[in-house]
Amino acid sequence: MRERVSFAEVERAVAQAGFDCAGEVDAARLEVRDEVRDMCASGKCHQYGHNWACPPACGDLDAFRQVIGGCSRGIVFQTVGELEDEFDGEAMMDAEALHKKRTEVLVDALAEAGASDACLVLSAGTCTRCRPCAYPEPCRFPDRRLVSMEAAGLLVTDACNAAGIPYNHGKLTIAYTGCVLLRR
């Protein structure tokens, strides 16, 4: 595995994965927040304590602070879906599935380049690689598990602002957001 990867290589991998929107971010502008993790603990998505990529199993916030603090810059990326109306659950699920597929393409490209250890990739929502998740039994694919930005304590709106991309793309749209950060 390579210890370093060029930003240009990461940019190419993000572009080739087919995301709809992307912007460069200075990792120092990303703040790991306890209150974001507290939202996970509220149980709204029903994955807290039930998925290896969600809290508390995904790791504590101090570990994410250390890892993200050891990153220089990165790219915030999005998949934007169009909805027929604000209750278009099918389009929402389709956009989320497409975002996760694109994120896996990105992860695979980084792995193929031998750059997996040089980057931290965070996605949107809980990991859905295995349905159901094996939790609390050992994760079937620990090297391919996708942790969300929120599980890492990042507020998506802050990350979008720091990257200069919109959080909201307008009426009747939904955006799923992830990021890839380069380790120093």
Side-chain angles (χ1 to χ4, degrees):
M1 290 287 171
R2 292 168 41 192
E3 288 185 28
R4 299 192 56 81
V5 61
S6 76
F7 189 73
E9 288 175 284
V10 174
E11 283 181 308
R12 272 193 301 279
V14 168
Q16 290 172 350
F19 294 103
D20 299 312
C21 186
E24 183 177 345
V25 66
D26 177 351
R29 294 192 59 199
L30 301 176
E31 180 184 353
V32 175
R33 298 172 179 247
D34 293 328
E35 60 269 22
V36 176
R37 178 63 73 87
D38 292 344
M39 287 189 278
C40 289
S42 73
K44 286 184 180 179
C45 77
H46 308 288
Q47 294 301 310
Y48 186 90
H50 297 284
N51 189 300
W52 281 109
C54 292
C58 66
D60 68 32
L61 289 183
D62 286 336
F64 281 109
R65 282 184 186 96
Q66 184 174 3
V67 170
I68 293 169
C71 294
S72 57
R73 62 184 183 160
I75 300 173
V76 177
F77 51 80
Q78 294 177 320
T79 298
V80 181
E82 294 186 16
L83 310 176
E84 288 186 23
D85 58 46
E86 52 273 347
F87 303 106
D88 190 354
E90 185 177 336
M92 291 176 198
M93 291 188 314
D94 289 348
E96 180 183 19
L98 179 58
H99 181 77
K100 289 182 182 198
K101 181 179 179 184
R102 288 172 171 171
T103 305
E104 288 177 6
V105 167
L106 171 62
V107 168
D108 289 345
L110 294 171
E112 195 172 295
S116 296
D117 292 341
C119 299
L120 170 66
V121 179
L122 299 170
S123 190
T126 191
C127 183
T128 55
R129 185 170 300 280
C130 304
R131 290 191 180 171
C133 179
Y135 188 88
E137 299 300 319
C139 179
R140 295 178 194 106
F141 303 101
D143 294 338
R144 305 213 17 103
R145 177 176 51 222
L146 289 173
V147 174
S148 73
M149 292 176 69
E150 295 92 340
L154 299 178
L155 191 60
V156 174
T157 53
D158 288 351
C160 290
N161 289 335
I165 63 173
Y167 172 76
N168 183 327
H169 289 263
K171 189 174 172 120
L172 297 180
T173 65
I174 188 162
Y176 291 93
T177 307
C179 67
V180 55
L181 304 174
L182 280 73
R183 300 177 198 265
R184 293 185 202 275

